[in-house]
Amino acid sequence: MVFRVFGVCAALVAVGLAGCLSNKADLGRDAFVGDWKCGDTRLALSSRSVDVDGKSESIAWIETGGNADYGLFTTKGGHYSVFNTTKRSLTFHDHKGGSTIDCKRA
C-alpha cells in the first residue's frame, strides 16, 4: 500500500515538473528581450544590450540556467540576472548596484 501511494505521488511530481519545464521551453532563449516597465525604471533588454533608464551597456555574453533564468554579462563589467521570466513579466537584479526590481512588459 505504501509503495503504491509513493508511486502515485512520484508520478504526479514528475508530471508537474514536466509541465513546468515545457512552459519554460516555450519562452525561448531570448524571452527577456523587449521593453519593460519596472516601477519608475524603464528597462530595455536585447540579446546585445542592457539599457536602464537610458544608460546602455553592450552584452559580452549570456548564460542560461544556473541560479537565474538568464545571466547577462556586459563589456563594462556589469552583471545582471533575470529571474521568474514569463511572457509578460520578469525580475531583474543588478549585481553591482544590488537592486532587484519586478518588471512588466511595456
Side-chain angles (χ1 to χ4, degrees):
M1 177 76 171
V2 171
F3 293 112
R4 179 175 287 162
V5 170
F6 178 75
V8 169
C9 290
L12 290 173
V13 169
V15 168
L17 288 176
C20 291
L21 293 174
S22 67
N23 287 340
K24 185 60 74 182
D26 290 343
L27 292 174
R29 184 182 185 280
D30 296 331
F32 61 88
V33 171
D35 295 321
W36 302 90
K37 178 82 171 124
C38 316
D40 293 333
T41 302
R42 285 272 181 202
L43 178 65
L45 300 174
S46 76
S47 59
R48 296 182 180 194
S49 67
V50 173
D51 186 304
V52 180
D53 285 336
K55 296 177 185 172
S56 186
E57 295 183 51
S58 295
I59 293 176
W61 76 91
I62 299 171
E63 291 181 356
T64 56
N67 294 327
D69 295 338
Y70 306 93
L72 311 177
F73 297 85
T74 70
T75 57
K76 294 181 180 177
H79 176 198
Y80 304 96
S81 292
V82 179
F83 300 93
N84 305 321
T85 308
T86 70
K87 291 180 181 180
R88 296 187 179 135
S89 65
L90 58 77
T91 301
F92 183 79
H93 178 72
D94 176 354
H95 289 269
K96 201 176 216 178
S99 63
T100 302
I101 51 178
D102 292 320
C103 306
K104 301 283 183 204
R105 195 169 291 278

